[in-house]
Amino acid sequence: ETVPNIYVKDYNKVPPLWLVTVGFSRHGKTTYLAALTLMLENISKVWHDVYYRPLDQYTFDAIRNMRSEAIHGELPSKTQSQQVLRPLLFNVYDLPESGSRCLVMYDVAGETYDSLDEIQKYVT
């Protein structure tokens, strides 16, 4: 995958914070990350000077899909084990006490953790 230019350009000013889900199927990993993502849209209501921006089209489309599911009262679709693992990338600016960070969020399918061999495959 190509890394967005903004990620590379701002790496020293907006260091990454990696969030990777770990847990078995149907434990709420995808729902948790969707809720966290949707909270970013309202973060300035909690911290007035904080704002975020998606770094690529994939993340922008994922947010739009999460928003649509939430509006319609639907839970996020289950992450499929055969899906290519691709992160959501957000820059979050001016967090109190933390400064700016790039959230790199991976939603790993629960089936990944059903065997030790599969866990080892995805640890890196």
Side-chain angles (χ1 to χ4, degrees):
E1 294 293 327
T2 302
V3 178
N5 287 337
I6 188 91
Y7 179 88
V8 175
K9 181 177 151 271
D10 287 352
Y11 187 84
N12 290 324
K13 295 183 290 188
V14 189
L17 174 62
W18 296 78
L19 301 172
V20 181
T21 58
V22 176
F24 296 111
S25 294
R26 312 305 259 164
H27 279 196
K29 298 176 301 299
T30 301
T31 302
Y32 171 74
L33 290 179
L36 180 61
T37 300
L38 294 174
M39 286 300 300
L40 287 174
E41 292 194 308
N42 296 301
I43 199 164
S44 65
K45 292 178 182 176
V46 177
W47 293 308
H48 299 290
D49 295 328
V50 177
Y51 61 101
Y52 85 101
R53 84 183 224 190
L55 298 188
D56 61 4
Q57 190 65 43
Y58 178 80
T59 302
F60 182 81
D61 292 342
I63 294 168
R64 187 177 3 188
N65 185 53
M66 289 176 204
R67 191 182 310 119
S68 175
E69 288 172 336
I71 287 169
H72 292 97
E74 301 168 0
L75 288 174
S77 302
K78 178 183 174 200
T79 303
Q80 301 298 316
S81 59
Q82 64 271 20
Q83 280 180 278
V84 175
L85 202 56
R86 184 166 177 182
L88 299 179
L89 298 167
F90 309 89
N91 275 358
V92 183
Y93 299 97
D94 301 326
L95 288 162
E97 299 181 30
S98 299
S100 299
R101 298 300 298 257
C102 178
L103 298 183
V104 181
M105 299 185 349
Y106 277 99
D107 186 14
V108 180
E111 292 82 7
T112 303
Y113 304 108
D114 288 344
S115 78
L116 291 176
D117 292 336
E118 289 298 305
I119 292 171
Q120 290 301 318
K121 180 177 164 183
Y122 289 101
V123 162
T124 56

